[in-house]
Amino acid sequence: MLCPAETASLSTTLTHFVLIVSQTNLPDYYRVWLDLANNLTHLIETRKLRDLVHKMPVLDPHLLSNHRELRLAHLALGFITMGYVWQEGHHAPAQILPKALAWPFWQVSCRLGLPPILTYADTVLANWKLKDPSGNMDLIFSFPGGESCKGFFIVSLLVEMAASSGIRVSAGRRYSPFFSRLTLSELQSDAVRPSVHFPFFFFLPVHKPCLYHVDPTVFHGTLRIFVSGWQDNPMLPRGLVYEGLSDEPILLSGGSAAQSSAIQCFDALLCIRHEDETGAFLTRMRDYMPPAHRQLIETLSVSPSLRDFILSHSSSDLCQAFNACVSALVDLRSYHLNTVTKYIIVPGNQAPAMGCPLRGVGTVLNTRGTGGSSLMVFLKGVRNATQKTLISERQSVSRESEM
């Protein structure tokens, strides 16, 4: 469905996947897009967004001249699309995306190699700016939900930034046909282990205050619907028609942590194998990543096994360092499970008694993620697969005896 991307992702470097120095302006020709995106919360809350989209001209994206402009356009059009579809809540989602929105969104998506829907790469990796010279960050665009919306996206961004040194090592492995230069210090000190540990410990004591701004009731009842897609979603079971592009509805998943390039990169580097439906879902989520991110993960997935390399060297220090990396990822996924329970499962179970908010999801998505997965089954599955990757003492001793 996607066209070949014409622009390489500038955000994929040897440091991280976050788009640095995010663009906040477009040529004046596209002013209407930014006007709508910058005022999205007000327009949704006053139910004026759909009417304004219907009055929009069909703009040609050909004046977008570089990667950052294309990413900002994709971000803006993605936010407007989600607002348009879900403005009236789960009772009356839009069935057709008007051509003035669908056509340029499709064209921009083709040029980037991304799908025409708001993705994790949009809301987390490209939706931030510096608020002041001291380094405080803010969102470029937002949905209804106030500080809860800001806290939700910013804390995900901070975790992605914390993963930077691990991404650097992963990218280095991409260009090494064998792990002959892998050293104990890479796993123990300044590379993989702290960068897998760091998102977890960084997330808890430093950015737990961000979660204090995310009210579970607001997240579930107001924000969550706006990151929901139209695949495996009972609110739009047939998908969404993109006017002027297809007469049949198109199925696309909403933004999901499963689309995190960093976490999938760690999975590939640490040889964590997800099987059956879980593995198929994670593989499909790579289609929602920038092409260069996807290529790195796929290259790592077929590279020589780091786990086998460590076992073959019969080093208890290497095994312990490897297990520390895997254990940190297990901890992060366990924390994610607890967070999902607090922000989705509990508020979802309370929704019938409290009365469903006008534009919330109610109980419709209580058991499904915004990407369409069976929520708790999927999350427990990825955590358990991660645990299985740990090198047991028996495996280590067995390899030593074979040497």
Side-chain angles (χ1 to χ4, degrees):
M1 184 179 69
L2 293 177
C3 307
E6 69 173 37
T7 310
S9 173
L10 298 179
S11 60
T12 301
T13 68
L14 295 183
T15 55
H16 42 64
F17 293 124
V18 176
L19 191 65
I20 299 301
V21 192
S22 297
Q23 188 95 10
T24 57
N25 291 298
L26 294 175
D28 286 344
Y29 176 69
Y30 304 107
R31 181 183 299 274
V32 64
W33 295 352
L34 294 187
D35 285 346
L36 292 181
N38 282 322
N39 293 286
L40 198 66
T41 295
H42 171 72
L43 295 175
I44 290 171
E45 291 175 344
T46 58
R47 298 184 175 182
K48 295 179 179 178
L49 179 62
R50 286 185 180 176
D51 289 340
L52 291 175
V53 169
H54 294 157
K55 297 174 183 177
M56 265 176 49
V58 180
L59 302 181
D60 191 325
H62 73 283
L63 293 179
L64 299 170
S65 60
N66 59 61
H67 181 78
R68 287 187 171 87
E69 286 186 352
L70 287 166
R71 288 292 292 272
L72 179 60
H74 196 274
L75 179 67
L77 293 170
F79 264 82
I80 298 167
T81 293
M82 295 315 226
Y84 181 90
V85 171
W86 301 116
Q87 175 180 284
E88 301 300 322
H90 70 283
H91 294 297
Q95 305 291 319
I96 300 173
L97 195 65
K99 183 177 180 180
L101 192 49
W103 189 81
F105 197 15
W106 189 282
Q107 298 302 318
V108 169
S109 299
C110 282
R111 291 174 64 182
L112 285 169
L114 289 170
I117 191 171
L118 193 70
T119 68
Y120 183 94
D122 294 310
T123 58
V124 175
L125 303 183
N127 188 33
W128 69 281
K129 61 184 177 181
L130 289 178
K131 188 175 182 179
D132 53 53
S134 63
N136 291 317
M137 292 182 289
D138 202 355
L139 301 180
I140 298 175
F141 305 128
S142 188
F143 289 121
E147 288 298 307
S148 291
C149 178
K150 178 179 177 180
F152 175 69
F153 290 129
I154 290 292
V155 76
S156 301
L157 169 65
L158 294 171
V159 171
E160 292 287 329
M161 288 180 165
S164 60
S165 58
I167 303 307
R168 183 174 63 250
V169 171
S170 300
R173 296 279 71 77
R174 175 187 180 185
Y175 299 107
S176 300
F178 302 101
F179 294 101
S180 57
R181 282 187 262 174
L182 182 85
T183 64
L184 179 59
S185 63
E186 277 189 307
L187 280 171
Q188 286 186 317
S189 58
D190 60 357
V192 180
R193 185 172 69 169
S195 64
V196 180
H197 269 122
F198 196 42
F200 178 61
F201 293 114
F202 189 70
F203 184 81
L204 288 178
V206 180
H207 296 105
K208 203 169 182 179
C210 288
L211 285 179
Y212 291 148
H213 293 291
V214 183
D215 183 293
T217 303
V218 174
F219 173 76
H220 181 273
T222 302
L223 174 60
R224 191 167 181 242
I225 195 170
F226 292 107
V227 290
S228 300
W230 28 94
Q231 179 163 350
D232 300 319
N233 185 342
M235 295 184 288
L236 275 173
R238 297 184 63 244
L240 182 70
V241 173
Y242 285 66
E243 187 180 33
L245 294 161
S246 173
D247 293 330
E248 295 297 320
I250 292 170
L251 298 170
L252 289 171
S253 296
S256 165
Q259 296 169 10
S260 167
S261 304
I263 298 302
Q264 288 219 33
C265 194
F266 287 144
D267 275 350
L269 179 67
L270 297 173
C271 308
I272 297 167
R273 306 301 181 202
H274 302 285
E275 299 177 347
D276 303 324
E277 290 185 12
T278 297
F281 177 76
L282 285 169
T283 299
R284 184 166 66 81
M285 289 298 99
R286 294 176 190 173
D287 293 337
Y288 294 78
M289 300 175 186
H293 301 193
R294 185 164 63 242
Q295 182 182 359
L296 173 58
I297 293 165
E298 291 172 353
T299 300
L300 286 170
S301 297
V302 297
S303 295
S305 168
L306 174 60
R307 189 175 186 273
D308 288 347
F309 170 84
I310 290 171
L311 281 169
S312 71
H313 278 62
S314 60
S315 165
S316 60
D317 287 338
L318 276 176
C319 288
Q320 289 173 11
F322 177 85
N323 281 346
C325 295
V326 176
S327 295
L329 203 51
V330 172
D331 290 341
L332 186 62
R333 283 177 160 147
S334 294
Y335 192 84
H336 190 194
L337 265 167
N338 293 334
T339 303
V340 165
T341 300
K342 178 179 179 180
Y343 285 89
I344 297 175
I345 304 302
V346 172
N349 291 337
Q350 293 173 344
M354 296 173 61
C356 177
L358 176 64
R359 283 181 287 277
V361 296
T363 60
V364 180
L365 292 183
N366 277 11
T367 61
R368 303 205 75 81
T370 49
S373 64
S374 297
L375 194 55
M376 299 303 282
V377 173
F378 169 76
L379 293 177
K380 289 178 181 178
V382 294
R383 183 195 58 187
N384 294 344
T386 307
Q387 286 176 321
K388 289 179 182 178
T389 307
L390 291 165
I391 297 174
S392 67
E393 185 176 348
R394 180 180 300 177
Q395 286 175 307
S396 179
V397 170
S398 174
R399 283 300 183 102
E400 285 187 37
S401 64
E402 292 174 7
M403 298 298 290

